[in-house]
Amino acid sequence: MNDQRKEVWCAGEEWCPITTTSSLIGKKWHPVIIHRLLENGPLGFNALKEEVDGISSKVLSDTLDDLEGNDLINREIVSEKPFRVEYSLTEFGQSLKPVIYEMRDWGLEYLRPPEEA
């Protein structure tokens, strides 16, 4: 796994693991998509869009490109006719499981859902 280490420069000219992790999963939809793939396994684009409530197709596509560029997800063409793509977590993406589940557990303990209108 050492060959997949990511480097991010922090203030104070030190390497900062918090900033590194935040740069990989700190965008709004990144942890949500990783969580859905952890929970459901590989998903096609439309199935993933259904699992991520409130995300537009454009934002999902851009976010998947970003996650793929950071080696967190795989994009695999499953069939050409009809064209179908499936997204899954890489081993590197799978390694985020304890982080994502801790985020979920913290949220369940300390956050309350919005009040119903």
Side-chain angles (χ1 to χ4, degrees):
M1 183 80 59
N2 286 341
D3 61 334
Q4 291 190 16
R5 291 182 144 221
K6 304 292 181 186
E7 296 178 351
V8 175
W9 190 256
C10 293
E13 299 185 5
E14 297 176 358
W15 296 101
C16 179
I18 303 271
T19 300
T20 302
T21 305
S22 179
S23 72
L24 293 172
I25 64 167
K27 293 183 180 173
K28 180 178 180 178
W29 298 108
H30 287 190
V32 177
I33 291 169
I34 292 167
H35 177 261
R36 296 311 188 266
L37 292 172
L38 282 167
E39 291 288 296
N40 298 299
L43 292 170
F45 185 89
N46 290 332
L48 190 52
K49 188 171 184 308
E50 287 178 21
E51 288 292 325
V52 182
D53 188 36
I55 194 169
S56 70
S57 294
K58 166 87 169 106
V59 171
L60 178 58
S61 179
D62 291 347
T63 304
L64 291 169
D65 287 346
D66 195 28
L67 291 169
E68 184 180 15
N70 283 319
D71 302 318
L72 295 172
I73 64 168
N74 285 316
R75 178 182 184 271
E76 180 183 351
I77 297 173
V78 177
S79 67
E80 303 241 357
K81 291 183 182 179
F83 185 74
R84 185 164 130 60
V85 175
E86 194 169 76
Y87 298 90
S88 62
L89 292 170
T90 62
E91 184 178 337
F92 190 51
Q94 286 279 345
S95 72
L96 286 166
K97 184 176 183 175
V99 175
I100 299 298
Y101 284 173
E102 281 297 319
M103 289 173 70
R104 177 204 60 200
D105 294 347
W106 186 90
L108 288 170
E109 185 170 345
Y110 293 103
L111 304 176
R112 62 185 162 98
E115 305 217 8
E116 307 237 353

